[in-house]
Amino acid sequence: MTVLGFVPWLLCHGYTDAEIKPRLADITAVYHGSPETRQILEKYGVSYIYFSSAERYEFQVAALPPDWPFPAVFHSEKITIYKVPGGK
């Protein structure tokens, strides 16, 4: 399951701001290292976190927090995927 897709695409396909904004706020908090990160990921049943140039741009984060607790399971030049232990 994807928690949040490309926002302009979602808007063009009938999703409303009321549906998008709470998820956008949650995902932004995760990428910025919120103390509520684990609760947010559990709320959505997240197993993996995808981090690429698109996320860097969309969420205005140059790099993940230095204490990022999730192990990388895939890395290429522009993409890293992290595993959320206990995720579905």
Side-chain angles (χ1 to χ4, degrees):
M1 175 180 152
T2 300
V3 176
L4 182 71
F6 184 57
V7 173
W9 184 92
L10 294 170
L11 291 168
C12 289
H13 285 81
Y15 289 87
T16 65
D17 278 344
E19 294 170 302
I20 295 169
K21 283 186 178 183
R23 287 178 179 243
L24 185 59
D26 284 345
I27 298 308
T28 299
V30 167
Y31 283 120
H32 284 270
S34 165
E36 288 82 33
T37 291
R38 290 197 185 271
Q39 293 90 335
I40 293 168
L41 297 175
E42 287 176 12
K43 173 181 171 181
Y44 295 107
V46 173
S47 298
Y48 295 92
I49 299 169
Y50 187 92
F51 190 65
S52 72
S53 56
E55 287 73 29
R56 286 180 183 88
Y57 176 78
E58 179 73 25
F59 301 105
Q60 299 179 6
V61 58
L64 296 172
D67 60 344
W68 185 251
F70 309 107
V73 294
F74 173 83
H75 181 74
S76 71
E77 184 179 330
K78 296 183 181 183
I79 299 168
T80 303
I81 300 174
Y82 298 91
K83 172 73 173 133
V84 178
K88 295 180 181 181

